[in-house]
Amino acid sequence: MVVELISVGTELLLGNIVNTNARYLSEKCAMLGLSVYYQTTVGDNRERMAGVIKTALDRADMIILNGGLGPTEDDITKEVCAEVMGARLVEDPTVKAHLEEWYKLRMKSELPESNWGQALVPEGAVIFENHNGTAPGLAVEKDGKIAILLPGPPGEMYPMFEEQVCPYIQGKQSGIIRSQMIKICGFGESKVEEMLLDLIDSQTNPTIATYAKTKEVHIRVTARAETDEEAKKILKPVVKEIKKRFGNAVYTTDENETLEDVVVRLLTKYDLTVTTAESCTGGLLAGRLVNVPGASEVFRQGFITYSNKAKRKQLDVSKTTLRKYGAVSEQTAKEMATGGVFATDADICIAVTGVAGPDGGTPEKPVGLVYIACYMKDSVQVEEYHFNGNREKVREQTVVQALDLLRRSVLSHYKKD
Amino acid sequence: MVVELISVGTELLLGNIVNTNARYLSEKCAMLGLSVYYQTTVGDNRERMAGVIKTALDRADMIILNGGLGPTEDDITKEVCAEVMGARLVEDPTVKAHLEEWYKLRMKSELPESNWGQALVPEGAVIFENHNGTAPGLAVEKDGKIAILLPGPPGEMYPMFEEQVCPYIQGKQSGIIRSQMIKICGFGESKVEEMLLDLIDSQTNPTIATYAKTKEVHIRVTARAETDEEAKKILKPVVKEIKKRFGNAVYTTDENETLEDVVVRLLTKYDLTVTTAESCTGGLLAGRLVNVPGASEVFRQGFITYSNKAKRKQLDVSKTTLRKYGAVSEQTAKEMATGGVFATDADICIAVTGVAGPDGGTPEKPVGLVYIACYMKDSVQVEEYHFNGNREKVREQTVVQALDLLRRSVLSHYKKD
């Protein structure tokens, strides 16, 4: 099935905001086995919007419009789409009741007259309830084509899509699409593709798609089948084979789990606490860890030791080490990690020191050189990295590799036991 | 002049990456006084790309294509665009020389045969040199329409646009467009708009546009005139009036300066050093500071004290304070800031404690309650905030307000002197 995405919003055309919704919807469409050939952004202009909708309905089976469903005069998506499709707008009592309740509960007020329009829906439309706002989502079916209208705010659109729109679209397809995510850390995208070349080359069902993230690759395996059971059967051997090829580098197969989630989950599981000792990342590693709700159980404090003096004072790195090997060295990283554990009551310390640039690089220690050390159970492991890119990129990559070293350290210690 | 943006890339249609280039180009077009009515994304498919280019050339004066200029077989933007516009591709000796030199210098190799195609340009095209990659930018003029082709990687496209494409576009317009940025911290977008209502309502030339960022609003004032001198004259009184209305909340009028840049610049100017004491932001504040190249001169170390024990041990927050007022309190924030200065040799400490959520909120101390304290020159100032949004949003807003409190503290101290 061919799908076309239309984003509505003058703020997108002015460059006020990035169109993250288009990325989200494109990925979801790929997951559902749908082909997206065009994404279009258009403003709150009747004529231009109608033109875009007509063109899209001509060349696709399904169009997904996003934005312009609010209560203001500028919000014309529903009206224009209904007009193009020749559907009359009628008041929907369920939507109206939801609106009234929403205003009573959240806004402590009566539904303002200007918002009544939100209760109008194209006759015969499928309604997707909005649990996080006022505008419902809608699916209008006409002449073998489908238009799906979704609210713009991601906080409203994402849950609506996952809970209601996905099953709706799946119901429109013959058979089942099922996909499985495999997230890998520590391999570049081209290396991953090389290692999967035989599988990718021979792929028809399931298909394998790779998504490159900073120092991570996400692999999505997607199967089509008549039943969910059959789809699972098609996925299983391929997923198993991929997991075998990447071994420990696979950090999760859960679509919604991040690398820091996994780290916090492992630390919690083994009842461990961690501290951080950061130089070039200046707090970003700790910042990633405390992204995870409940991180306070495993992470209680961290050190940002940018200067040599701070490394000496807070982490007890020896003056001799700093003088002899320099702040960016295997030895300093090791002493930082060791010092972090001794300065706190944490079980593990992950330490980072490197040259993030743009200045500070030398021929021996160029920009991008980073040492990451992990102290755990009386032993300290250190890894040397050479990252490409600007200051920000070097720091981003360092944080990911540090989280991964922490993950691998915990895993290897507990496998031994 | 009406401009249409076309992004080329299958990775966009699959949702692998967010289309940040479209946002960038849209903002730049707005700055140049150009109207963007449509943005389209299309894949590496000849027929569909040709269709999109034709449609765009029909309805706009100028189209800007972005992506698909690389050396691989998938990169067909130049070929397709030239075909649609009826322009022959010819080898350009300057581009070829640049390619050969690039390979010799950067890749330490001869130009591979597969890359020769990058030296082909539509006959008569204006060439924008690529100082950060191989594919040049191009402008093809035909029948009163202009097609601009730009490489996809932001690191190549952004500098090319600023240095070469902007002047080229300005040369195509009658008169001059000049804009001035004013960046404000601490006011919401609706408040800013309210305070500018009379100016916005009466605007014709210059125009005023507001861009909401996290806890920041960027105001762009744009003037059209015959000469640059005249445009400056039109801008001046409006910019002055806006600066007057927002006073100290204006942190810069430099397009490219960030809040953390300003903070580091001020600290450097007054020869001050700062340390950070973070609870709920867990290192993100320090991480933002060290974004700035050269931050090591003013920021040498920081503390992440998530647990009460760490607050006591590292920052000497008293047990009584923690027991009596709790970790999230004005008193604790003050003691954290004071302790940070005494534990280091920094002149200033900025301290943060709050409830980032999703758990940990109580009726008295709900999620979003944050205290930010700044210790400087024997006095400590503390501010209470109530932020909306999820964990990530609360932390983001906290970081911005902390940077701004730091900025205002330095300013107010040095105004007194």
Side-chain angles (χ1 to χ4, degrees):
Chain A
M1 196 148 60
V2 174
V3 174
E4 190 154 338
L5 303 183
I6 302 171
S7 303
V8 177
T10 304
E11 67 280 17
L12 292 166
L13 296 179
L14 287 172
N16 295 6
I17 55 169
V18 182
N19 195 349
T20 49
N21 283 351
R23 196 211 61 78
Y24 171 84
L25 288 170
S26 293
E27 190 181 352
K28 289 293 160 184
C29 286
M31 274 178 67
L32 289 163
L34 308 168
S35 302
V36 176
Y37 292 149
Y38 306 93
Q39 300 167 347
T40 309
T41 301
V42 68
D44 315 313
N45 172 286
R46 249 162 232 281
E47 200 186 327
R48 288 193 283 271
M49 197 191 295
V52 166
I53 293 172
K54 266 181 219 153
T55 306
L57 282 171
D58 269 351
R59 56 192 183 188
D61 305 305
M62 183 190 287
I63 66 172
I64 303 180
L65 288 124
N66 165 251
L69 296 185
T72 75
E73 267 182 40
D74 287 345
D75 295 304
I76 54 172
T77 305
K78 188 171 61 186
E79 230 181 291
V80 173
C81 187
E83 204 182 302
V84 170
M85 296 183 83
R88 214 161 56 96
L89 290 176
V90 294
E91 192 175 278
D92 185 275
T94 323
V95 174
K96 198 175 173 196
H98 169 71
L99 281 170
E100 283 172 333
E101 204 187 296
W102 182 273
Y103 269 85
K104 219 164 91 189
L105 271 175
R106 310 279 177 126
M107 320 299 254
K108 316 275 179 215
S109 75
E110 295 288 305
L111 179 65
E113 209 160 321
S114 60
N115 289 45
W116 278 14
Q118 288 196 296
L120 293 175
V121 305
E123 207 166 11
V126 175
I127 292 164
F128 306 117
E129 283 176 35
N130 189 339
H131 302 303
N132 302 286
T134 54
L138 300 163
V140 189
E141 305 177 9
K142 192 112 185 188
D143 306 328
K145 304 278 183 168
I146 301 172
I148 295 178
L149 286 73
L150 300 174
E156 302 178 25
M157 195 263 275
Y158 292 12
M160 184 186 289
F161 198 90
E162 319 245 322
E163 291 157 19
Q164 301 171 72
V165 182
C166 272
Y168 168 81
I169 292 175
Q170 276 167 329
K172 294 290 163 191
Q173 293 182 298
S174 59
I176 281 282
I177 300 280
R178 196 186 169 87
S179 79
Q180 174 68 54
M181 177 58 90
I182 303 165
K183 298 186 183 178
I184 286 173
C185 192
F187 287 85
E189 193 185 21
S190 52
K191 182 71 190 165
V192 169
E193 281 179 355
E194 196 190 307
M195 286 172 69
L196 294 177
L197 200 62
D198 54 323
L199 296 175
I200 291 173
D201 274 353
S202 66
Q203 71 181 4
T204 46
N205 189 19
T207 56
I208 301 169
T210 59
Y211 297 73
K213 315 272 167 186
T214 301
K215 287 287 142 189
E216 294 187 31
V217 178
H218 297 183
I219 303 169
R220 185 186 299 291
V221 190
T222 307
R224 291 163 189 263
E226 283 305 307
T227 65
D228 199 38
E229 220 37 56
E230 215 179 305
K232 276 185 192 163
K233 235 160 120 184
I234 296 170
L235 285 177
K236 206 178 165 187
V238 179
V239 170
K240 198 178 157 190
E241 176 62 26
I242 295 174
K243 284 171 76 175
K244 199 180 111 194
R245 290 191 189 183
F246 293 97
N248 243 350
V250 176
Y251 71 80
T252 189
T253 53
D254 179 342
E255 183 84 39
N256 298 310
E257 205 174 35
T258 64
L259 183 55
E260 57 265 33
D261 286 337
V262 173
V263 166
V264 171
R265 173 165 60 74
L266 283 174
L267 292 171
T268 309
K269 180 179 169 185
Y270 295 117
D271 199 18
L272 296 166
T273 57
V274 68
T275 186
T276 51
E278 303 181 63
S279 188
C280 63
T281 48
L284 291 180
L285 171 58
R288 265 291 276 276
L289 272 176
V290 301
N291 266 344
V292 185
S296 56
E297 292 302 311
V298 300
F299 175 75
R300 289 172 197 157
Q301 63 184 312
F303 303 91
I304 302 161
T305 54
Y306 223 55
S307 69
N308 281 354
K309 195 170 163 190
K311 289 182 185 74
R312 286 212 314 275
K313 201 173 154 195
Q314 290 199 48
L315 301 170
D316 200 28
V317 176
S318 87
K319 218 169 179 167
T320 322
T321 302
L322 287 167
R323 199 179 324 113
K324 199 166 162 194
Y325 303 102
V328 179
S329 64
E330 198 184 308
Q331 290 78 3
T332 297
K334 277 185 177 177
E335 290 192 23
M336 286 171 71
T338 311
V341 164
F342 284 95
T344 63
D345 54 4
D347 302 303
I348 310 172
C349 178
I350 186 99
V352 162
T353 181
V355 191
D359 309 316
T362 63
E364 297 77 42
K365 296 186 179 177
V367 169
L369 173 68
V370 173
Y371 293 93
I372 308 176
C374 184
Y375 183 100
M376 183 176 176
K377 295 204 172 181
D378 304 328
S379 82
V380 55
Q381 192 187 343
V382 60
E383 295 184 348
E384 178 181 317
Y385 290 95
H386 295 265
F387 297 122
N388 290 318
N390 62 17
R391 183 177 179 87
E392 202 188 326
K393 289 277 166 216
V394 168
R395 297 168 70 214
E396 256 180 47
Q397 295 173 78
T398 304
V399 168
V400 175
Q401 290 292 5
L403 287 170
D404 195 51
L405 174 59
L406 177 50
R407 179 185 71 87
R408 285 182 283 114
S409 299
V410 174
L411 282 181
S412 69
H413 271 284
Y414 283 83
K415 266 193 185 159
K416 275 187 224 149
D417 289 358
Chain B
M1 198 149 57
V2 174
V3 174
E4 190 154 339
L5 304 182
I6 302 172
S7 304
V8 177
T10 304
E11 66 281 16
L12 291 166
L13 296 179
L14 287 171
N16 295 7
I17 54 168
V18 182
N19 195 349
T20 49
N21 283 352
R23 196 212 62 76
Y24 171 85
L25 288 170
S26 293
E27 189 181 351
K28 290 293 162 186
C29 286
M31 274 178 68
L32 289 163
L34 308 168
S35 303
V36 176
Y37 293 150
Y38 306 92
Q39 300 166 347
T40 308
T41 302
V42 67
D44 315 313
N45 173 286
R46 247 161 234 281
E47 200 187 326
R48 288 194 284 269
M49 197 191 295
V52 165
I53 294 173
K54 267 181 219 153
T55 305
L57 282 171
D58 270 352
R59 56 192 184 189
D61 305 305
M62 182 191 286
I63 66 172
I64 303 180
L65 289 124
N66 166 251
L69 297 184
T72 75
E73 268 182 40
D74 288 344
D75 294 305
I76 54 172
T77 305
K78 188 171 62 187
E79 231 181 292
V80 173
C81 187
E83 203 183 303
V84 170
M85 297 183 83
R88 214 161 56 97
L89 290 176
V90 294
E91 192 174 279
D92 185 275
T94 323
V95 174
K96 199 175 173 198
H98 168 71
L99 282 170
E100 283 172 332
E101 205 188 296
W102 182 271
Y103 270 84
K104 218 165 92 190
L105 271 175
R106 311 280 176 125
M107 321 297 257
K108 316 274 178 215
S109 75
E110 295 287 304
L111 179 64
E113 209 161 320
S114 61
N115 289 44
W116 278 13
Q118 288 196 296
L120 294 174
V121 306
E123 208 168 10
V126 175
I127 293 164
F128 307 118
E129 281 177 36
N130 190 338
H131 302 302
N132 302 287
T134 54
L138 300 163
V140 188
E141 305 178 9
K142 191 113 186 188
D143 306 328
K145 305 277 183 169
I146 301 172
I148 295 178
L149 287 73
L150 301 173
E156 301 178 25
M157 195 262 275
Y158 292 11
M160 184 186 288
F161 198 90
E162 320 244 322
E163 291 157 20
Q164 301 171 72
V165 182
C166 273
Y168 169 81
I169 292 176
Q170 276 167 330
K172 294 290 163 192
Q173 292 183 299
S174 60
I176 281 282
I177 300 278
R178 195 187 171 86
S179 79
Q180 174 67 54
M181 177 59 90
I182 302 165
K183 297 187 184 179
I184 286 174
C185 193
F187 286 85
E189 194 185 22
S190 52
K191 181 72 189 163
V192 169
E193 282 179 354
E194 196 190 307
M195 286 171 69
L196 294 177
L197 201 61
D198 54 323
L199 297 176
I200 292 173
D201 274 353
S202 66
Q203 71 181 4
T204 46
N205 189 19
T207 55
I208 301 169
T210 58
Y211 296 73
K213 315 272 168 187
T214 301
K215 286 287 142 189
E216 293 187 32
V217 179
H218 297 183
I219 303 169
R220 185 186 300 290
V221 190
T222 307
R224 291 164 187 264
E226 283 305 308
T227 65
D228 199 37
E229 219 36 56
E230 214 180 307
K232 276 186 194 164
K233 235 160 119 184
I234 295 170
L235 286 177
K236 205 179 166 186
V238 179
V239 170
K240 198 178 156 189
E241 176 62 26
I242 295 173
K243 284 171 76 176
K244 199 180 112 195
R245 290 192 189 181
F246 292 97
N248 243 350
V250 176
Y251 71 81
T252 189
T253 53
D254 178 342
E255 183 83 39
N256 298 310
E257 204 174 35
T258 64
L259 183 54
E260 57 264 33
D261 286 338
V262 173
V263 166
V264 171
R265 174 166 59 75
L266 283 174
L267 292 171
T268 309
K269 179 178 170 186
Y270 296 117
D271 199 18
L272 296 165
T273 57
V274 68
T275 186
T276 50
E278 304 181 63
S279 188
C280 63
T281 47
L284 291 181
L285 171 58
R288 265 292 276 277
L289 272 177
V290 301
N291 266 344
V292 185
S296 56
E297 293 303 310
V298 300
F299 175 75
R300 289 171 197 157
Q301 63 184 313
F303 302 91
I304 301 161
T305 54
Y306 224 53
S307 69
N308 281 353
K309 195 171 163 191
K311 289 181 186 76
R312 288 212 313 273
K313 201 172 153 195
Q314 290 199 48
L315 301 169
D316 200 28
V317 176
S318 87
K319 217 169 178 167
T320 321
T321 302
L322 287 167
R323 200 181 322 113
K324 199 166 160 193
Y325 303 102
V328 179
S329 64
E330 197 184 309
Q331 290 79 4
T332 298
K334 276 185 176 177
E335 291 192 22
M336 285 171 72
T338 311
V341 164
F342 283 94
T344 63
D345 54 5
D347 302 303
I348 310 172
C349 178
I350 185 99
V352 162
T353 181
V355 190
D359 308 317
T362 63
E364 297 78 42
K365 295 184 179 177
V367 169
L369 173 68
V370 173
Y371 293 93
I372 308 176
C374 184
Y375 183 100
M376 184 175 177
K377 295 204 171 178
D378 305 327
S379 82
V380 57
Q381 192 187 344
V382 61
E383 294 184 349
E384 179 182 318
Y385 290 95
H386 296 264
F387 296 123
N388 290 317
N390 61 15
R391 183 179 180 86
E392 202 188 327
K393 290 277 166 214
V394 168
R395 295 167 72 214
E396 257 180 48
Q397 296 173 76
T398 304
V399 168
V400 175
Q401 289 293 5
L403 288 170
D404 195 50
L405 174 59
L406 177 49
R407 180 185 70 88
R408 286 182 282 115
S409 299
V410 175
L411 282 181
S412 69
H413 271 283
Y414 282 82
K415 267 192 184 158
K416 275 188 225 149
D417 290 356

